[in-house]
Amino acid sequence: METLKGWLDRLLVADVFVVIGGAFWFLAAVLCEARGIHQPLAVFQQLWEPLFTPAIGLLMAAAVISGVLGWWGRRRSAIGDTAAQSSPHQNQH
């Protein structure tokens, strides 16, 4: 399980760099387009669907899953703490 988590972490780190790189590429392509150089934006548009859309989707899904797992862990911890606190009181009666 730890190996799977390690691979997922590496995948997400690479994914972040793909998204950041795509953002910089888009910015540069827009600047080139304003100067009459059309190729960078054309290449970006060709890669939008097969590369950047899934990369952004994966990043958003990972953020949502991380948030849900964090919430679930805090909830389980709070329930465990409540149960542990109520147990000694019951033994005193």
Side-chain angles (χ1 to χ4, degrees), residues 4-44:
L4 177 63
K5 185 181 179 326
W7 280 106
L8 286 174
D9 288 344
R10 287 185 198 103
L11 174 68
L12 290 173
V13 167
D15 186 56
V16 165
F17 283 109
V18 168
V19 171
I20 291 171
F24 282 120
W25 185 350
F26 179 70
L27 178 64
V30 168
L31 294 174
C32 288
E33 187 74 22
R35 295 184 158 265
I37 305 169
H38 305 293
Q39 190 62 30
L41 188 58
V43 172
F44 181 85

Side-chain angles (χ1 to χ4, degrees), residues 25 29 38-52:
W25 185 350
H38 305 293
Q39 190 62 30
L41 188 58
V43 172
F44 181 85
Q45 288 173 336
Q46 288 177 338
L47 292 175
W48 177 253
E49 280 298 320
L51 179 63
F52 296 117

